[in-house]
Amino acid sequence: MTLTKRPVQSLLNTVCNGTAGGARRSYGGAISEAASSSSSSSSSTPSHQLIGLEHQFSAHNYHPVPIVFSKAKGSSVWDPEGNKYLDFLAAYSAVNQGHCHPRITKALQDQVESLTLSSRAFYNDRFPVFAQRLTAMFGYDMVLPMNTGAEGVETALKLARKWGYEKKNIPKDEAIIVSCCGCFHGRTLAVISMSCDNEATRGFGPLLPGQLKVDFGDKDALEKIFKVGYKNIAEEHFVHLTVKQTSRKWILGKALGGGVIPVSAVLADKDVMLCIRPGEHGSTFGGNPLASAVAIASLDVLKDEKLAERSAELGEELRKQLVKIQEKFPNYIKEVRGRGLFNAIDFNHKYLSPASAYDICLKLKERGVLAKPTHGTIVRLTPPLTISMDEIQVASKALQDVLEFDLPEMLKGMAGKESNVAPPPTVCDRCGIKKNPPLIHGAFNGFIQIVHLPKYYFCLGDRFLTPPIGASNIDLTKDPCCIGYTRFNGLSRLF
């Protein structure tokens, strides 16, 4: 099976009834002999029935690995048939403390019996304690509570704009957001307006205007945006690139809720946070007592069990094991990268094709390890921070066995077939080709001067303006790609 764009019904049929080669694929790390020998159809198992129900009644906005979670504890999960697996995704790291951590679930149980929701229209007795604990831990003055991670990012964007207008006197509606090429912060409109992922942006325009892109870690390019691209306004409207004068904020989410309830937060000092006033931003569930009690317990577990330290130690060991596997299979594995227990294996599309990272994950599942692919050739390995060294070794052994035994057989069965997974893209709709794209600056009387400066890009709304090679100016009133953008949604004064 490959990760494809084929209709979801076809995909479901393949998952439930067998692989492309006709072989039946059963659920479970260790295939149940009872299920295999049963005279009843495998489509009648609880897992298949539940997958069918979700396919029928839920939106098709995910492409899950076909395993149903029924119970979980620590780093282990079980499906309805009783098969046990190691979780190497941890709900995209929202379960860093491990599934159903006893201290976190106790905090949930205790709180749910007394008070769950007050809204911010009234005070409650848990959020102030959470706010004090969180700000003290991270060294900020104040916190603005939300629920999901995407809400946290949206909140930070609004707060940054408000601070810029009030404290730095940026003219009305002329704020600019600078984000890194390749970033991912969620699926809301403002967030995907920063995205370079074509799947996230296509069909959802117009995107939020006022977006600038730089390569991650490219300080020089970021400075040039202020000092070169916006020479005339940098001193007046923008903050110089020093820690003392820069508005700093932290966005927290995921494991802040301990894998039990959504909790996110934005941290900032008072001079930034107090730019938001009553009625200008909020959330009915943000700062609710149930989430606050769970978040306090989640923070305590992270600190008391030294999970950050465990992550650094175990992550280094995991990467050592993965590098050894890479050395054994250099054609398959292009790169091993990560920090702590947040890791990825980037497979070589040339040698993996026509198989995909999704196929690798299916084979890992059959060997009792759960991971999730991304971008066709990458497998994420992000287990709970409570995972043991023995469990890491089990997962590494499973990956080695997949590459040594399963993948060669799978590729034989796929011989002669074309890959349905495209190689990693080098072009995005937002930034164009990522080699030496132009920076746009210096607009006068409807014209834009183009200066080629490497490693950063200019995006307006959902359009990236790419002039003909060698062109030095674009007439905004005549050029086809600029129709409707003569004033750039109010941004032309910035050039």
Side-chain angles (χ1 to χ4, degrees):
M1 186 188 304
T2 55
L3 180 61
T4 71
K5 294 295 183 184
R6 59 190 165 184
V8 177
Q9 180 62 57
S10 173
L11 169 65
L12 183 70
N13 291 339
T14 303
V15 168
C16 292
N17 298 326
T19 64
R24 177 75 63 183
R25 188 189 300 282
S26 299
Y27 285 86
I31 307 299
S32 169
E33 291 297 331
S36 299
S37 60
S38 173
S39 59
S40 62
S41 169
S42 64
S43 63
S44 66
T45 65
S47 287
H48 283 85
Q49 291 172 359
L50 290 165
I51 290 174
L53 285 173
E54 180 168 323
H55 168 77
Q56 183 176 358
F57 296 109
S58 172
H60 299 162
N61 58 324
Y62 276 87
H63 180 222
V65 173
I67 185 266
V68 176
F69 283 31
S70 181
K71 185 178 75 171
K73 191 71 174 176
S75 303
S76 300
V77 297
W78 288 262
D79 65 15
E81 291 74 47
N83 298 305
K84 181 181 178 180
Y85 306 83
L86 280 177
D87 183 0
F88 263 68
L89 183 65
Y92 301 99
S93 298
V95 192
N96 275 345
Q97 297 91 338
H99 289 278
C100 300
H101 193 288
R103 291 176 64 181
I104 297 174
T105 55
K106 185 178 187 305
L108 176 77
Q109 291 166 355
D110 291 346
Q111 187 62 42
V112 81
E113 293 175 355
S114 59
L115 177 67
T116 58
L117 183 63
S118 61
S119 84
R120 294 296 301 283
F122 308 99
Y123 293 95
N124 67 70
D125 62 354
R126 301 311 299 154
F127 172 61
V129 180
F130 167 53
Q132 182 183 40
R133 182 78 58 86
L134 191 64
T135 53
M137 180 177 286
F138 287 89
Y140 285 85
D141 294 339
M142 310 185 91
V143 60
L144 201 164
M146 298 298 288
N147 307 288
T148 66
E151 286 179 273
V153 176
E154 292 267 354
T155 298
L157 294 177
K158 289 181 66 176
L159 188 56
R161 281 183 165 187
K162 196 69 158 50
W163 176 82
Y165 291 132
E166 291 199 359
K167 301 293 185 178
K168 296 299 172 181
N169 300 315
I170 295 176
K172 180 182 178 182
D173 296 335
E174 293 188 0
I176 290 291
I177 299 295
V178 181
S179 58
C180 296
C181 192
C183 69
F184 178 85
H185 297 291
R187 303 289 188 184
T188 58
L189 278 174
V191 170
I192 66 170
S193 295
M194 299 188 294
S195 177
C196 294
D197 185 345
N198 294 336
E199 288 187 351
T201 58
R202 286 176 179 170
F204 298 107
L207 302 180
L208 195 69
Q211 302 289 325
L212 282 171
K213 308 296 296 182
V214 298
D215 281 344
F216 180 77
D218 194 336
K219 181 182 176 181
D220 292 340
L222 184 60
E223 283 193 279
K224 286 177 182 177
I225 284 179
F226 291 93
K227 294 182 178 180
V228 180
Y230 299 96
K231 182 177 179 181
N232 295 329
I233 62 167
E235 293 182 1
E236 182 178 357
H237 300 314
F238 284 88
V239 186
H240 294 297
L241 300 176
T242 63
V243 174
K244 176 182 278 189
Q245 295 182 349
T246 300
S247 161
R248 295 189 301 125
K249 297 176 291 298
W250 274 51
I251 310 169
L252 304 175
K254 297 290 186 183
L256 191 58
V260 170
I261 191 170
V263 187
S264 64
V266 176
L267 291 162
D269 288 335
K270 287 184 179 180
D271 66 316
V272 176
M273 191 66 79
L274 293 181
C275 291
I276 294 283
R277 297 173 181 81
E280 294 180 345
H281 190 68
S283 166
T284 300
F285 281 84
N288 71 77
L290 183 60
S292 298
V294 166
I296 292 170
S298 299
L299 292 172
D300 288 345
V301 168
L302 286 170
K303 182 179 179 180
D304 296 345
E305 298 186 11
K306 301 185 187 316
L307 294 187
E309 293 83 351
R310 289 190 89 255
S311 176
E313 179 183 349
L314 295 177
E316 185 175 353
E317 178 59 32
L318 173 59
R319 282 187 297 280
K320 286 180 181 178
Q321 296 182 22
L322 295 177
V323 168
K324 288 181 180 178
I325 297 173
Q326 180 186 22
E327 292 170 350
K328 189 173 182 179
F329 303 98
N331 287 343
Y332 291 150
I333 298 179
K334 181 169 64 175
E335 182 183 13
V336 171
R337 58 179 179 266
R339 184 173 183 179
L341 282 171
F342 198 83
N343 295 275
I345 303 171
D346 195 349
F347 288 91
N348 191 325
H349 179 267
K350 177 181 177 181
Y351 294 99
L352 185 64
S353 180
S356 69
Y358 187 83
D359 294 299
I360 298 293
C361 289
L362 291 178
K363 290 300 182 181
L364 282 171
K365 185 206 74 141
E366 292 179 357
R367 291 184 178 274
V369 176
L370 302 178
K372 191 71 168 63
T374 182
H375 298 298
T377 61
I378 300 170
V379 172
R380 287 172 286 206
L381 297 175
T382 58
L385 308 187
T386 55
I387 196 167
S388 69
M389 186 67 75
D390 288 343
E391 290 172 325
I392 286 177
Q393 291 172 348
V394 168
S396 296
K397 179 64 164 58
L399 175 63
Q400 180 169 313
D401 288 346
V402 166
L403 298 184
E404 185 171 355
F405 303 112
D406 300 337
L407 183 56
E409 289 299 316
M410 184 164 49
L411 292 176
K412 285 182 182 179
M414 295 177 172
K417 297 180 180 179
E418 293 185 4
S419 173
N420 288 313
V421 179
T426 57
V427 177
C428 83
D429 292 348
R430 301 293 309 286
C431 301
I433 298 176
K434 296 182 181 180
K435 291 183 178 180
N436 210 32
L439 171 74
I440 302 177
H441 77 110
F444 303 99
N445 300 323
F447 286 85
I448 285 186
Q449 182 181 2
I450 305 298
V451 175
H452 287 273
L453 294 170
K455 294 188 178 180
Y456 56 100
Y457 329 109
F458 189 86
C459 303
L460 290 165
D462 60 350
R463 291 301 305 272
F464 173 71
L465 305 181
T466 305
I469 298 297
S472 60
N473 292 280
I474 293 180
D475 185 344
L476 299 182
T477 62
K478 296 179 180 179
D479 191 276
C481 75
C482 299
I483 292 176
Y485 286 90
T486 303
R487 286 285 301 165
F488 287 100
N489 297 323
L491 295 174
S492 63
R493 288 178 58 194
L494 291 182
F495 298 98

